[in-house]
Amino acid sequence: MQYLLSKGGVIIYPLLACSIIVVTLALERLYQFSRISKELPNNLMNQIKDRISSNKIDKAVELCEGIRGPIGKILKQGIIHLDKESDEIEEQMAEVELEEFPKLEKHLGLLNFIGKISPSLGLLGTVTGMIKTFHVLSMNGKPEQLAQGISEALTTTATGLIISIPALGAYYYFTNKLQQIVLHTEKREKELINYVKEVGASDEV
């Protein structure tokens, strides 16, 4: 750390701030994603269907409440409104989606931004370092002074890349996880709607 502060020039400070933010956000998102259910197991979905077919709506709601994450809340909303038309049930679940999924997206945009801006900050440090180097050359400076400018240029460039790579990696990792959760949730929503239609049709017969 002391080496970076002494060799990186002024640009190293925002770069180090970016690195702290990246680590903090990545750990926070990792904690949040670890606390939720990514998928709803088939046996649990079948239990929910059985409760619905047995007209034990309260029991089906209880099962959903035991599921951590958006999928449980979304299905619960659909089950609560089973007495309505299928289109309205879908709308009710869609409202919960709009509330729950953005929570998982939180801070991902900032991770993406830092991942993309860090190399630019590093490049800015490269430019300032080379300006110092040419200034020293114009003043017939000592080799040690030349080395300082070159060191600043290389240090900031390397630091920018070191920050950018894990930041973008974390962003795409969590984005992919979120997409999988969304797709699986939508699949379970359709499954619930179709099952309700089947049960309703069989009751009419």
Side-chain angles (χ1 to χ4, degrees):
M1 179 67 73
Q2 189 62 36
Y3 174 82
L4 290 176
L5 293 176
S6 62
K7 299 296 183 181
V10 177
I11 303 300
I12 201 67
Y13 290 96
L15 283 172
L16 290 178
C18 287
S19 69
I20 294 172
I21 294 172
V22 167
V23 172
T24 302
L25 295 184
L27 290 176
E28 188 270 341
R29 286 294 87 191
L30 187 63
Y31 172 72
Q32 292 298 331
F33 273 80
S34 66
R35 293 175 62 247
I36 65 173
S37 301
K38 310 299 186 301
E39 294 186 354
L40 182 63
N42 289 327
N43 63 331
L44 187 53
M45 188 66 191
N46 290 332
Q47 290 180 37
I48 293 173
K49 290 178 181 178
D50 291 340
R51 302 298 188 278
I52 293 173
S53 63
S54 303
N55 202 29
K56 298 178 180 178
I57 305 302
D58 292 342
K59 297 295 183 180
V61 170
E62 286 181 11
L63 288 175
C64 291
E65 289 175 343
I67 304 168
R68 297 179 301 172
I71 187 169
K73 295 179 180 179
I74 292 169
L75 291 181
K76 174 185 173 182
Q77 185 73 358
I79 293 171
I80 290 173
H81 295 87
L82 285 181
D83 57 329
K84 297 180 172 61
E85 296 294 328
S86 59
D87 290 343
E88 190 169 349
I89 296 174
E90 289 186 43
E91 289 178 3
Q92 291 291 333
M93 290 192 289
E95 287 184 11
V96 182
E97 281 184 17
L98 294 174
E99 180 181 347
E100 293 298 320
F101 288 145
K103 294 178 182 178
L104 297 180
E105 276 186 295
K106 189 178 179 182
H107 302 317
L108 295 186
L110 184 54
L111 272 177
N112 186 35
F113 174 74
I114 292 177
K116 291 180 177 179
I117 200 176
S118 295
S120 298
L121 285 174
L123 181 59
L124 178 59
T126 301
V127 172
T128 57
M130 295 310 297
I131 289 174
K132 289 181 181 179
T133 301
F134 286 117
H135 178 70
V136 171
L137 281 173
S138 66
M139 301 294 291
N140 296 319
K142 297 178 181 180
E144 294 81 4
Q145 294 174 309
L146 292 174
Q148 183 177 356
I150 296 172
S151 176
E152 179 179 330
L154 295 177
T155 300
T156 53
T157 301
T159 304
L161 292 173
I162 289 171
I163 295 169
S164 175
I165 293 171
L168 290 176
Y171 168 74
Y172 287 113
Y173 172 79
F174 291 121
T175 300
N176 182 58
K177 287 291 183 183
L178 176 58
Q179 186 177 16
Q180 291 177 6
I181 293 172
V182 170
L183 291 175
H184 182 77
T185 302
E186 290 177 349
K187 172 188 173 183
R188 291 305 191 191
E189 287 179 37
K190 294 295 183 183
E191 188 175 347
L192 177 64
I193 293 295
N194 291 335
Y195 183 74
V196 170
K197 289 179 180 179
E198 290 177 7
V199 171
S202 62
D203 290 342
E204 290 177 3
V205 174

